[in-house]
């Protein structure tokens, strides 16, 4: 895995803090700062993200949740003027290092966005597109991955008889589960979800929530949500962001019942944001 993420094989790299690595963590964020031009949007945050757990990011609009999330699979690289400093350690490598192969990284750290964004292609092709691009050609293998990913995304039963119909003919909730299936097909280890159910009706939302809880046996999940009930229902740990700072990061139950910081309490009880 490690070598696949390196553009150049330069031996031991980026592993400065290797000795203190926490085996329970999948990602270790150390003093991460993110800038858009001169403006700093994330102010030197540090946090460990647990393996096979759900971490919720909460906080008012503009506090830096999406900026942080996008830095984890280097999606901010696509924004002119965006840059990050500090470390995000994954598999003993600093994700922010220039030597990281971002295409390989994004396969391991997949992302699902707020608005379902299926390709205007068939359900089947939505899942196989990237696999084919990566060189997988065998139809039986592709069929197998399509079925497995759709089952994991709890969509198989609803679409198995229409795999070659357009993905755009699906409902919003189904489209979002298809986007999750598309991410699963790449066999990631980490899934980044940016408000994945905010555009959905309550029933689709409930399905996506159930799915996310189910996925944590296989994946480490980081989810941004504005929905406090959702964060408290599904996440193990919750991080509260405010103006680019990480204010409090604790077990979800603690954050929602007995937060240590007054600002957290004010936010979760709806007094601002
Ligand atoms: N592409 C960009 N160019 C310049 N500034 C940006 C860009 N994207 C975000 N910002 C700024 O960075 C800060 C954090 O934005 P971000 O989108 O991360 O917030 P957020 O917590 O995800 O908010 P929301 O809950 O509204 O999605 C804001 O001040 C925002 O204006
Ligand atoms: Mg956002």
């Amino acid at each position: 895995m490690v070598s696949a993420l390196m553009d150049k094989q330069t031996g031991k790299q980026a592993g400065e803090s290797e000795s203190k690595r926490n085996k329970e963590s999948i990602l270790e964020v150390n003093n991460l700062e993110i800038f858009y031009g001169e403006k700093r949007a994330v102010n030197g945050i540090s946090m460990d993200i647990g393996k096979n757990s759900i971490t919720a990011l909460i906080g008012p609009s503009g506090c830096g949740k999406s900026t942080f999330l996008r830095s984890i699979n280097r999606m901010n690289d696509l924004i002119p003027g965006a840059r990050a400093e500090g470390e995000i350690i994954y598999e003993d490598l600093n994700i922010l290092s220039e030597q990281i192969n971002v295409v390989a990284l994004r396969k391991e750290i997949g992302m699902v966005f707020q608005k379902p964004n299926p390709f205007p292609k068939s359900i089947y092709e939505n899942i196989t597109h990237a696999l084919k691009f990566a060189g997988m050609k065998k139809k039986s293998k592709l069929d197998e991955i399509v079925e497995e990913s759709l089952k994991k995304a709890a969509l198989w039963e609803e679409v198995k008889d229409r795999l070659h119909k357009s993905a755009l003919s699906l409902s919003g909730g189904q489209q979002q589960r298809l986007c999750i299936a598309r991410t699963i097909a790449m066999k990631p280890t980490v899934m980044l979800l940016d408000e994945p159910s905010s555009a959905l009706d309550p029933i689709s939302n409930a399905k996506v929530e159930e799915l996310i809880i189910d996925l944590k046996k296989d994946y480490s999940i980081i989810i941004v949500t504005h929905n406090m009930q959702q964060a408290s229902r599904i996440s193990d740990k919750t991080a509260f962001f405010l103006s680019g700072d990480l204010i409090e990061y604790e077990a979800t139950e603690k954050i929602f019942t007995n937060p240590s910081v007054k600002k957290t309490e004010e936010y979760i009880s709806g007094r601002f944001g």
Side-chain angles (χ1 to χ4, degrees), residues 36 39 41 59-68 70 79 195 226:
Y36 294 107
K39 185 177 172 295
S61 186
C63 69
K65 304 178 296 295
S66 298
T67 298
F68 170 47
R70 284 195 304 264
I79 301 173
E195 302 187 53
H226 278 280

Side-chain angles (χ1 to χ4, degrees), residues 117-152:
N117 58 349
F119 309 127
K121 291 170 176 281
S122 71
I123 294 165
Y124 185 93
E125 286 171 299
N126 260 272
I127 295 175
T128 56
H129 182 77
L131 298 167
K132 283 186 183 160
F133 188 73
M136 193 180 287
K137 294 211 171 64
K138 213 166 151 213
K139 185 170 180 301
S140 59
K141 184 69 189 162
L142 291 168
D143 288 352
E144 187 188 310
I145 295 178
V146 167
E147 178 168 346
E148 186 189 303
S149 318
L150 287 170
K151 279 185 173 159
K152 281 199 180 148

Side-chain angles (χ1 to χ4, degrees), residues 72-260:
I72 302 173
N73 71 346
R74 296 274 299 265
M75 290 293 273
N76 288 330
D77 289 18
L78 307 173
I79 301 173
R83 78 189 155 84
E85 283 177 18
E87 290 183 327
I88 303 176
I89 305 290
Y90 169 73
E91 301 257 348
D92 292 336
L93 295 168
N94 183 3
I95 283 172
L96 303 175
S97 154
E98 278 178 13
Q99 279 136 356
I100 291 291
N101 175 333
V102 293
V103 175
L105 178 73
R106 289 178 194 148
K107 277 189 203 142
E108 289 197 33
I109 304 186
M111 188 157 189
V112 174
F113 300 88
Q114 174 172 14
K115 238 178 110 232
N117 58 349
F119 309 127
K121 291 170 176 281
S122 71
I123 294 165
Y124 185 93
E125 286 171 299
N126 260 272
I127 295 175
T128 56
H129 182 77
L131 298 167
K132 283 186 183 160
F133 188 73
M136 193 180 287
K137 294 211 171 64
K138 213 166 151 213
K139 185 170 180 301
S140 59
K141 184 69 189 162
L142 291 168
D143 288 352
E144 187 188 310
I145 295 178
V146 167
E147 178 168 346
E148 186 189 303
S149 318
L150 287 170
K151 279 185 173 159
K152 281 199 180 148
L155 187 59
W156 175 249
E157 287 305 321
E158 288 158 71
V159 303
K160 64 182 180 199
D161 300 322
R162 54 196 276 210
L163 293 177
H164 298 285
K165 295 259 157 61
S166 169
L168 303 180
S169 67
L170 298 172
S171 73
Q174 289 172 327
Q175 288 186 12
Q176 194 60 309
R177 278 177 286 146
L178 177 62
C179 293
I180 293 173
R182 186 171 69 184
T183 305
I184 290 172
M186 302 309 289
K187 303 207 184 313
T189 53
V190 180
M191 289 181 70
L192 309 174
L193 310 174
D194 199 347
E195 302 187 53
S197 57
S198 64
L200 306 181
D201 65 86
I203 291 173
S204 302
N205 176 42
K207 281 196 177 167
V208 170
E209 276 189 16
E210 246 174 67
L211 163 62
I212 294 169
I213 293 169
D214 193 49
L215 290 175
K216 87 169 171 176
K217 21 179 225 303
D218 300 317
Y219 308 98
S220 306
I221 294 167
I222 309 178
I223 179 170
V224 171
T225 180
H226 278 280
N227 181 331
M228 296 302 113
Q229 283 80 23
Q230 178 170 69
S232 64
R233 272 194 300 266
I234 71 175
S235 69
D236 299 293
K237 284 188 86 174
T238 296
F240 171 55
F241 284 74
L242 189 62
S243 309
D245 291 317
L246 176 58
I247 301 294
E248 190 166 356
Y249 179 42
E250 277 293 348
T252 295
E253 202 189 325
K254 164 112 173 80
I255 292 275
F256 286 97
T257 56
N258 183 25
S260 304

